[in-house]
Amino acid sequence: KQWYQRRVRGLLDPTHENLPSIVKAIAQIAKVAPKIFEEFSRDVVRDFLLSEILTQDREEEGLIEDDFWCEQEELSKDARVKIEGLHVMVNWVAQTAGDKSVISTPVLKLLWALLQQKGDMNGNSEIRLCSMSHLRLHAGLCVLKLAAEPPALT
């Protein structure tokens, strides 16, 4: 708990310049060290990923009209962080011991909502088209990953 307080909480800032890398590292912690991640999972998932990342659009202005697809390296920092946030949640569900339905149901609902909204979680069209395409792609991949975890869907 002290490790989290000192290290992780201070890095969970939506404006941090290295946020995509930080969230990617948290996704790996959720995957390979689920007991450690479980201690601060609610803070990371609910208080940060859902409240500060997935439901907020911080795309650069002037980039709304663009192609439907771009290379992943061309995505904005906001889109890359959202994608990594999806991976954090899916890794969390996949590695949770016991009854996974408690956490898998809300995660699946979020992924389906992202697919239904065509990659625009807020439905306000303030996100680049290529970002929406990548978010749909990764939401679909996350659903498939959860489908490969039968206990997550019971």
Side-chain angles (χ1 to χ4, degrees), residues 95-146:
Q95 298 302 324
T96 298
D99 184 14
K100 295 182 183 197
S101 64
V102 173
I103 61 172
S104 66
T105 301
V107 171
L108 280 169
K109 285 182 180 180
L110 177 104
L111 294 170
W112 279 118
L114 193 54
L115 290 168
Q116 289 175 329
Q117 293 288 342
K118 300 179 182 172
D120 184 2
M121 189 58 136
N122 298 319
N124 58 13
S125 300
E126 293 183 9
I127 185 170
R128 294 174 59 198
L129 295 175
C130 68
S131 295
M132 290 168 55
S133 296
H134 277 274
L135 284 165
R136 284 193 311 271
L137 170 66
H138 285 275
L141 291 171
C142 288
V143 169
L144 289 174
K145 184 173 181 175
L146 287 178

Side-chain angles (χ1 to χ4, degrees), residues 59-60 63 72 74-81 128 131:
E59 296 259 344
E60 296 83 18
L63 296 175
Q72 192 149 350
E74 298 172 22
L75 289 172
S76 68
K77 179 176 97 169
D78 182 58
R80 289 182 312 201
V81 170
R128 294 174 59 198
S131 295

Side-chain angles (χ1 to χ4, degrees), residues 8-9 17 20 31-32 36 60 75 81 98 120 122:
V8 178
R9 185 173 274 177
E17 105 179 33
K31 184 176 183 177
V32 300
I36 292 172
E60 296 83 18
L75 289 172
V81 170
D120 184 2
N122 298 319

